[in-house]
């Protein structure tokens, strides 16, 4: 496949570029991205599409000739702006948007998708692959993970306001299902908390309080997942100054 001249760049990150192609969106990864990851994201998205959760439709996986032969995922476009953009543009309405964000996550957690990858397997794999922590801490984390209640709810895995699109009719759509699994909502909430906390602790606390209140979930259960999700986020090797922060969350496990 070749990209049309008319493409508009939406986002550029470490290993990918996202383009607007008019009526579709294409996420083009660099040549280091394993092709199986790209197919996995496409399969996750197709499974999510089948649940009825409002999400862009999976359209195509192809190799792009003019991008170093990197693999790409094409999805239908949801015209609108992200909830992150809304929150930034209208800080006075932050809590209103946060409420919509929380209710959407609760709604997603109400779905099941029995063929989706298992959250527990994903976390165990990521913890085992972590070279920054020693065997004793890895064992602690795996034991903690093993002791958690087994649940099989749809979890986005990277639920944050940049992945929620407010469509022109006001409906909310969720994109970026690369890390979706079936598992425990509390773990998904812990991950979202951590993502907020990486940039704003106050927003993170407001989010956590609101989710637990509206979903009637004990905050302690979410907290018991913090070290596990911090380890899994560290394993993604997004790098930067965040590693120290994530390590501090992992270390907490030793004192509990
Ligand atoms: N189907 C889509 N429709 C509209 N905008 C999209 C769509 N997919 C992605 N985007 C926009 O591109 C951004 C990056 O895409 P995303 O899939 O979240 O990639 P990343 O893995 O880099 O976060 C999103 O935050 C959103 O603004
Ligand atoms: Mg994203």
């Amino acid at each position: 496949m070749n990209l049309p001249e008319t493409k508009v760049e939406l986002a550029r990150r470490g290993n990918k570029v996202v383009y607007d192609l008019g009526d579709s969106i294409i996420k083009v990864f660099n040549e280091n991205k394993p092709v199986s990851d790209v197919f996995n994201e496409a399969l996750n998205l197709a499974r999510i599409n089948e649940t009825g959760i409002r999400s862009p439709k999976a359209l195509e996986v192809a190799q792009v000739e003019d991008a170093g032969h990197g693999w790409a995922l094409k999805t239908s476009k949801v015209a609108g702006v992200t909830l992150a953009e809304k929150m930034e543009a209208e800080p006075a309405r932050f809590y209103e948007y946060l409420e919509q964000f929380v209710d959407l996550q609760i709604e997603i957690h109400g779905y099941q998708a029995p063929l989706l990858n298992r959250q527990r397997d994903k976390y165990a794999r990521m913890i085992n692959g972590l070279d920054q922590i020693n065997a004793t801490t890895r064992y602690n984390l795996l034991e903690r993970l093993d002791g958690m209640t087994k649940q099989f709810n749809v979890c986005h895995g990277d639920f944050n306001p940049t992945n929620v699109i407010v469509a022109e009719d006001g409906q909310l759509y969720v994109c970026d299902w690369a890390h979706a699994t079936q598992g425990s909502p509390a773990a998904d909430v812990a991950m979202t908390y951590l993502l907020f906390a990486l940039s704003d602790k106050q927003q993170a606390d407001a989010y956590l309080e609101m989710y637990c209140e509206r979903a009637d979930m004990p905050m302690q259960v979410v907290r018991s997942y913090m070290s596990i999700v911090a380890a899994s986020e560290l394993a993604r090797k997004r790098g930067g100054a965040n590693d120290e922060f994530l390590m501090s969350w992992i270390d907490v496990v030793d004192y509990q």
Side-chain angles (χ1 to χ4, degrees):
M1 162 204 283
N2 280 302
L3 298 177
E5 292 288 331
T6 52
K7 65 184 184 291
V8 176
E9 189 178 311
L10 289 184
R12 183 176 286 268
R13 304 191 215 286
N15 63 347
K16 79 194 90 136
V17 189
V18 181
Y19 296 103
D20 184 341
L21 300 183
D23 53 8
S24 63
I25 296 284
I26 193 161
K27 203 164 164 177
V28 185
F29 296 90
N30 70 18
E31 62 284 0
N32 302 324
K33 178 79 168 179
V35 59
S36 54
D37 281 1
V38 185
F39 275 97
N40 182 61
E41 180 170 347
L43 184 57
N44 284 350
L45 183 58
R47 295 205 194 292
I48 292 301
N49 292 161
E50 287 169 2
T51 65
I53 294 172
R54 283 184 304 279
S55 47
K57 298 278 172 279
L59 296 179
E60 193 178 340
V61 173
Q63 214 164 7
V64 175
E65 273 120 53
D66 47 2
H69 293 272
W71 283 88
L73 169 60
K74 193 197 266 185
T75 63
S76 64
K77 176 169 142 185
V78 179
V81 289
T82 68
L83 213 43
E85 289 168 309
K86 290 246 185 204
M87 285 171 166
E88 196 166 306
E90 300 165 277
R93 295 179 70 187
F94 176 77
Y95 285 92
E96 198 183 310
Y97 291 131
L98 189 64
E99 223 168 77
Q100 292 181 22
F101 177 77
V102 163
D103 286 346
L104 180 59
Q105 193 176 22
I106 293 172
E107 184 188 330
I108 291 168
H109 290 158
Y111 283 89
Q112 303 227 320
L115 295 176
L116 219 48
N117 298 326
R118 297 265 167 115
Q119 187 184 59
R120 183 176 297 266
D121 296 347
K122 185 177 166 91
Y123 285 147
R125 198 166 54 243
M126 292 183 105
I127 292 166
N128 276 317
L130 255 185
D131 45 24
Q132 292 104 312
I133 57 176
N134 63 28
T136 304
T137 309
R138 288 201 303 275
Y139 188 90
N140 261 335
L141 289 168
L142 290 169
E143 217 176 24
R144 170 171 285 242
L145 179 61
D146 207 41
M148 297 296 194
T149 310
K150 292 179 177 58
Q151 288 179 282
F152 303 97
N153 304 77
V154 170
C155 292
H156 181 277
D158 191 18
F159 197 72
N160 72 77
T162 70
N163 288 330
V164 178
I165 304 165
V166 186
E168 282 156 349
D169 63 2
Q171 295 253 57
L172 302 182
Y173 287 75
V174 184
C175 70
D176 202 0
W177 292 87
H179 299 285
T181 57
Q182 49 175 327
S184 160
D188 200 46
V189 174
M191 179 57 87
T192 299
Y193 175 83
L194 205 68
L195 295 172
F196 269 118
L198 287 173
S199 58
D200 192 325
K201 175 78 163 51
Q202 220 179 332
Q203 286 188 357
D205 289 333
Y207 157 76
L208 183 58
E209 199 171 309
M210 198 185 279
Y211 184 98
C212 289
E213 196 56 46
R214 292 171 92 86
D216 196 30
M217 178 184 281
M219 223 180 256
Q220 298 92 318
V221 181
V222 179
R223 294 204 187 280
S224 66
Y225 268 108
M226 293 291 185
S227 53
I228 293 166
V229 300
S232 129
E233 179 62 17
L234 190 64
R236 283 191 207 169
K237 296 203 188 302
R238 293 201 249 216
N242 293 338
D243 283 12
E244 208 176 312
F245 174 82
L246 294 170
M247 281 300 288
S248 73
W249 272 104
I250 294 170
D251 289 341
V252 170
V253 84
D254 289 337
Y255 307 106
Q256 284 171 339

